[in-house]
Amino acid sequence: MAEPNMDRVHARLTAALLRMMPPDVAAPFFRSPAWTDLTPTEQAMIIDADADMEEQDRRRRQQARQERAERRSTCD
């Protein structure tokens, strides 16, 4: 097993790659040896990294909505 920081980097990279793929392309990964040969800890790290990225995306979208609303209210 790699160093803990490298494990997190690998998990984030894997999650990012899976997020960029269309669902029909990414889905087979979860049935492949590439996924099933991972330890439960490694799988959890990838899932957690994906959840973290989803939360960051949600925050960015929310911030962008707030900024647009503020710009609209100052223009009125």
Side-chain angles (χ1 to χ4, degrees), residues 32-52:
S32 74
W35 177 257
T36 57
D37 288 350
L38 295 174
T39 67
T41 301
E42 291 168 326
Q43 291 175 351
M45 288 176 75
I46 292 169
I47 292 167
D48 290 346
D50 181 63
D52 289 345

Side-chain angles (χ1 to χ4, degrees), residues 41-75:
T41 301
E42 291 168 326
Q43 291 175 351
M45 288 176 75
I46 292 169
I47 292 167
D48 290 346
D50 181 63
D52 289 345
M53 285 186 273
E54 181 64 33
E55 179 63 21
Q56 288 173 357
D57 289 347
R58 186 191 65 74
R59 285 189 202 136
R60 276 193 287 271
R61 288 189 304 271
Q62 182 179 9
Q63 182 178 0
R65 278 193 301 270
Q66 289 173 344
E67 290 171 357
R68 283 192 304 271
E70 289 171 5
R71 282 195 302 269
R72 280 193 300 263
S73 68
T74 58
C75 291

